[in-house]
Amino acid sequence: MKVTAISLWSVDLTSHETYYMAEGKTCDTVKTHVLCLQTDTGLKGWGEVCPIPHYLPAFADGVPSAIAEMAPEILGISPFGIDAPMRKLDGYLIGHHHAKSVVDMALWDLFGKATGQPLYVLLGGRTRADMPLYHSITCIAPDEMARIAREAYDSGIRQFQVKLGADADWQTDAERLAKVREAVGSGPLVYGDWNCGATKLHATRTGRAVSHLDVMLEQPCKTLEDCAAVRKATGLPMKIDEGAFDLATLLRAHELGCLDVVALKLSKFGGLSAMRRARDLTVHLGAEICAECTWGSDIVTAAGLHFAASTSQGTLLNTCDLSAYASPRICPDAPVRVEGRIAPPDSPGLGVEPDPGILGTPLLELA
């Protein structure tokens, strides 16, 4: 079995509410790309990637160009033994991990369908029936953020990511964390996320103001060294996100003492193949894992859920149903959250199929 045709679509996803983040970053309407790899047996493998603006060195409109550039190497690939062709692609086009992640994902979908197995089996075996979700809260007025937290808590959510830094006011950021902590009571996990948008001083002042509370900080600064300095100055545990994107950065964060939790995201690492290696190292280093991607709809969410469901017990902190934050939903039968938790599909491969009416006309068709 080999890949004989490539199709790529672009779909605009609109957030149910605008996400405000540090340094003026926003996430409202973004572009997701959906890839189909068709084989000479008729099987189709699906992938999705959705890099959001100002977040990673990844450009959404560059995905079609990268796929077209890699097409001579993608056509003819067998979905068996995925690591080898992905290493070949790494040599053919340097970098562009977000574009490679969508190819890797589609190959894993084909592998699962060809073997009749859901991906969580192929990724190591299912270790849990379902996974806890976190809910991300846009950076707005503290009282409004507390209201959103209470509503999410009432739906069963017990982990809360509090966006910080939209107004560059450390006292308001401290108030945001305190009010969300109060709104959900003791026990649930609450962590404040600057998405690299804080200075050491801003993050340290915020962290010290709430150091008496049970909270965690997420990637306040752009460098791992600065994040480690904030962790040391505040005594609060640290989640690394943007700063971890390969094995070397995981090792560096651990060496600096700031790798309490890490967000393993498909588009950062280049797909499920690279994520497996990152997961093995993270478990060895003793950190906990948030399994997800940058943004997207049902296809990339399904890939994250299979990865999360096959992560060993005691090492998965949470996952994210990205598709619940935006519309349209690309796959009508995709999993949804139930009482703050979510389960992966049980069908072979990713277990989700997109609605052709949502996809529309392909941007790219190659054979």
Side-chain angles (χ1 to χ4, degrees):
M1 183 169 62
K2 63 182 181 180
V3 174
T4 55
I6 302 168
S7 300
L8 185 73
W9 292 262
S10 172
V11 178
D12 286 341
L13 298 178
T14 300
S15 302
H16 299 318
E17 58 184 338
T18 300
Y19 271 77
Y20 296 98
M21 296 171 273
E23 293 188 314
K25 301 182 184 80
T26 60
C27 190
D28 185 1
T29 297
V30 296
K31 188 175 295 184
T32 195
H33 282 94
V34 174
L35 178 73
C36 178
L37 300 183
Q38 186 163 340
T39 69
D40 51 4
T41 66
L43 285 180
K44 295 180 179 180
W46 296 94
E48 181 186 3
V49 66
C50 184
I52 62 176
H54 320 300
Y55 179 72
L56 293 174
F59 177 45
D61 284 333
V63 172
S65 298
I67 297 298
E69 180 71 18
M70 294 186 289
E73 297 297 317
I74 297 171
L75 293 169
I77 282 180
S78 168
F80 300 103
I82 297 167
D83 280 342
M86 290 309 298
R87 284 195 295 270
K88 190 175 181 183
L89 285 182
D90 283 337
Y92 188 80
L93 179 66
I94 305 301
H96 300 275
H97 296 304
H98 65 296
K100 291 172 183 172
S101 72
V102 73
V103 177
D104 180 88
M105 195 182 304
L107 290 173
W108 276 97
D109 191 26
L110 283 171
F111 184 25
K113 288 173 177 173
T115 58
Q117 299 286 346
L119 281 196
Y120 57 72
V121 172
L122 303 177
L123 291 171
R126 190 167 187 166
T127 59
R128 48 181 54 81
D130 57 15
M131 293 80 64
L133 293 162
Y134 75 86
H135 188 78
S136 184
I137 304 173
T138 180
C139 188
I140 50 177
D143 287 336
E144 280 298 291
M145 296 177 75
R147 176 190 60 78
I148 294 169
R150 281 191 294 270
E151 290 176 355
Y153 182 91
D154 290 342
S155 75
I157 294 287
R158 294 297 180 267
Q159 299 190 34
F160 302 86
Q161 181 193 65
V162 181
K163 293 296 184 184
L164 301 175
D167 44 18
D169 181 343
W170 72 268
Q171 291 172 304
T172 304
D173 282 342
E175 184 182 0
R176 289 177 172 114
L177 282 168
K179 288 197 170 179
V180 169
R181 175 81 276 170
E182 180 183 12
V184 302
S186 62
L189 177 66
V190 173
Y191 51 102
D193 180 18
W194 283 276
N195 293 106
C196 298
T199 64
K200 282 192 294 183
L201 177 61
H202 180 116
T204 298
R205 295 177 85 182
T206 303
R208 285 182 171 174
V210 297
S211 61
H212 61 292
L213 301 176
D214 175 21
V215 295
M216 179 171 69
L217 305 181
E218 178 176 352
Q219 191 81 43
C221 307
K222 290 180 173 61
T223 69
L224 293 175
E225 289 76 11
D226 284 354
C227 290
V230 171
R231 192 200 187 289
K232 183 177 181 180
T234 63
L236 294 172
M238 181 71 64
K239 175 186 172 186
I240 298 299
D241 181 2
E242 293 91 342
F245 49 83
D246 59 15
L247 301 187
T249 50
L250 289 170
L251 286 167
R252 180 59 177 157
H254 174 70
E255 179 183 64
L256 290 167
C258 60
L259 194 71
D260 298 299
V261 179
V262 62
L264 298 185
K265 294 184 175 179
L266 291 153
S267 61
K268 285 195 303 179
F269 282 83
L272 288 162
S273 299
M275 286 267 280
R276 285 192 308 164
R277 295 189 289 273
R279 178 174 65 185
D280 290 346
L281 178 58
T282 302
V283 171
H284 173 71
L285 296 175
E288 295 193 39
I289 293 168
C290 173
E292 55 173 345
C293 199
T294 48
W295 203 260
S297 188
D298 298 298
I299 299 171
V300 71
T301 293
L305 298 184
H306 284 286
F307 180 82
S310 59
T311 295
S312 58
Q313 290 288 350
T315 60
L316 181 75
L317 182 71
N318 57 39
T319 189
C320 184
D321 56 343
L322 293 164
S323 48
Y325 291 88
S327 61
R329 297 288 297 257
I330 288 177
C331 304
D333 297 326
V336 295
R337 61 172 69 179
V338 178
E339 292 296 318
R341 302 182 71 85
I342 194 165
D346 288 318
S347 302
L350 287 170
V352 294
E353 297 286 332
D355 180 349
I358 297 292
L359 296 182
T361 303
L363 286 177
L364 193 66
E365 292 184 288
L366 300 167

